[in-house]
Amino acid sequence: MAIRRRHTLLAAALIAAAPLVFAQGKDIPVGVFNAMTGTYAFGGVPIQNGMKLALEEANAAGLPGGNKFKISEGDTAGEKGQTISLVNQFIKRDNAMLILGPTTSGEALAGAPVANELKVPILAIGSSPGILATGPWAFKIQATPVDIMNFLGKLAVEKQGVKRMVTIIDQSNDGYVGQKDALIAYMKGAGATIVADEKFVSSESNFLALATKVSSMQTDAIFIAAPAEVAANLIIQIRQAGLDPKVKIFGPSTFGSLGFIKAGGKAVEGTYVVSDYSPNSTSAQNQAFVKAYQAKYKAMPDNWAGMGYALGTVAVQAVRNAGPSPDRQKIRDELAKLNNVPMVLGNGTWSVDDKRNPSYGGVLLQVKDGNFVSIQ
């Protein structure tokens, strides 16, 4: 009788405890990886910081069912092989429901096919439309080159009176190639002339021949698309080669990095940048983000910190929409239909169309006195 009574009491205790266990929720494994070292660390580090901040804030605020994100981190070092290895690791070892990153289009184009094959949603940074073409499980936070570069083209032609432009890009990055092609199309459509279309690879550091060639060209402006520190070094060498001070320099969101200003110093003063994010935004969401980022990382967020936080925000919204029992398929389906997500990027909202192309508008910045200032 005593034994039976103890069993009855134990069973009752387990039943009573069951709701408590359920209320505690479950872990939602998430793989978070970027180029924390190497050429693209200027963007990868703040992106990773922004992603983690968004996920940690979501954990603190609470997710449906009492669930919590469980973060596994990785460093791609900007390498395609490492990206592929980490995608496999996140999925097979960590059972990730969602993968956030990597930093560049090239890395994403390597890792996304693996995520598609294993049917795990991946939300990447890169702008290349090719990321989406790898399959239905691939998404990207960053707008396509045409969407974002038209803002820069309009600034160059309508506000700065540019009629002749030289383009210089790091041809090893698909995203830069797409940005340059989009800008050239806009400039030509507006009646401007492309004086030269120069190319190099980011592993180079001595640009004397290129700088000498470009500095002597008759042009109103130069557009450069390359990693932040590489681009800053190139601009320094072009100016040292005798570039006319009247020639304006334009760049893509890569330039929206504190590393660009630090590396370029006075040489990059006046540079025009089309950015995804402005730390100067007065929106309540951005002000809260800036305060939280500064408190955690002791630095002002740049374009890439904002991009990482935005990506994390989108991921959180998709998981929330997936309900208290999310899985890979539910999260993928929710990512595919997100619209008007409140956002620190661009115009303040992020949406995708029926082909998973994101849109949010652009922000125009200029380097003045060692800082980014917003321009109209």
Side-chain angles (χ1 to χ4, degrees):
M1 288 293 291
I3 294 175
R4 182 180 299 174
R5 186 170 181 271
R6 284 199 298 270
H7 286 172
T8 301
L9 290 173
L10 178 60
L14 289 173
I15 292 171
L20 178 61
V21 172
F22 176 79
Q24 288 177 342
K26 64 179 181 180
D27 286 336
I28 301 174
V30 179
V32 177
F33 68 152
N34 280 286
M36 304 297 287
T37 56
T39 302
Y40 294 99
F42 74 88
V45 172
I47 288 171
Q48 190 103 332
N49 290 344
M51 287 179 179
K52 290 192 296 180
L53 179 59
L55 297 181
E56 289 164 359
E57 287 179 345
N59 279 347
L63 293 169
N67 298 332
K68 296 281 187 181
F69 288 113
K70 181 181 180 182
I71 303 171
S72 297
E73 294 189 64
D75 174 14
T76 67
E79 297 178 0
K80 295 178 181 179
Q82 180 70 356
T83 299
I84 293 171
S85 177
L86 283 168
V87 170
N88 276 296
Q89 177 178 297
F90 287 145
I91 296 171
K92 297 176 181 179
R93 186 195 70 182
D94 303 323
N95 297 313
M97 286 192 192
L98 175 64
I99 297 173
L100 306 183
T103 307
T104 69
S105 292
E107 295 165 283
L109 288 169
V114 180
N116 273 283
E117 180 183 353
L118 299 176
K119 296 184 178 180
V120 177
I122 182 169
L123 179 54
I125 291 290
S127 63
S128 173
I131 297 169
L132 305 180
T134 62
W137 294 82
F139 299 83
K140 65 189 183 78
I141 188 73
Q142 198 169 15
T144 57
V146 171
D147 286 346
I148 201 74
M149 297 312 295
N150 283 356
F151 287 95
L152 192 65
K154 186 175 182 179
L155 170 68
V157 174
E158 297 184 10
K159 300 293 185 179
Q160 299 301 320
V162 173
K163 296 180 180 179
R164 296 170 63 83
M165 176 177 278
V166 172
T167 63
I168 310 173
I169 66 161
D170 169 11
Q171 62 183 340
S172 65
N173 185 299
D174 291 334
Y176 296 147
V177 174
Q179 289 169 346
K180 182 264 298 183
D181 289 345
L183 181 61
I184 285 179
Y186 183 95
M187 298 298 291
K188 287 184 175 179
T193 299
I194 303 302
V195 177
D197 180 11
E198 301 290 337
K199 303 175 180 65
F200 68 97
V201 293
S202 59
S203 59
E204 298 176 26
S205 59
N206 186 342
F207 301 110
L208 179 59
L210 176 60
T212 301
K213 178 181 179 181
V214 170
S215 66
S216 63
M217 292 180 178
Q218 297 301 307
T219 186
D220 301 320
I222 298 174
F223 169 77
I224 301 173
E229 287 89 348
V230 175
N233 182 28
L234 175 57
I235 292 170
I236 290 172
Q237 293 188 44
I238 291 174
R239 292 202 183 282
Q240 290 175 341
L243 181 70
D244 187 334
K246 294 181 181 178
V247 175
K248 300 175 175 65
I249 296 178
F250 294 81
S253 55
T254 299
F255 287 18
S257 161
L258 297 177
F260 174 72
I261 293 178
K262 183 177 180 180
K266 292 182 179 180
V268 302
E269 278 287 310
T271 299
Y272 294 98
V273 181
V274 60
S275 185
D276 307 282
Y277 165 78
S278 171
N280 305 316
S281 170
T282 58
S283 74
Q285 186 180 20
N286 182 61
Q287 289 180 335
F289 163 58
V290 170
K291 183 178 180 179
Y293 191 91
Q294 286 183 306
K296 187 172 180 64
Y297 299 111
K298 312 305 179 188
M300 189 72 174
D302 61 9
N303 182 75
W304 300 109
M307 183 64 75
Y309 187 75
L311 190 149
T313 301
V314 167
V316 168
Q317 189 62 56
V319 171
R320 287 190 184 281
N321 292 353
S325 300
D327 57 30
R328 292 166 174 173
Q329 184 69 56
K330 288 179 182 178
I331 295 172
R332 192 226 79 87
D333 292 346
E334 293 300 332
L335 282 170
K337 58 185 180 184
L338 285 178
N339 276 293
N340 298 318
V341 178
M343 183 58 55
V344 297
L345 299 183
N347 58 24
T349 59
W350 186 93
S351 299
V352 291
D353 62 19
D354 58 358
K355 296 181 180 178
R356 290 170 284 129
N357 291 302
S359 61
Y360 48 81
V363 177
L364 295 171
L365 305 174
Q366 187 177 22
V367 179
K368 284 189 176 182
D369 299 323
N371 291 294
F372 292 111
V373 298
S374 299
I375 58 176
Q376 299 296 321

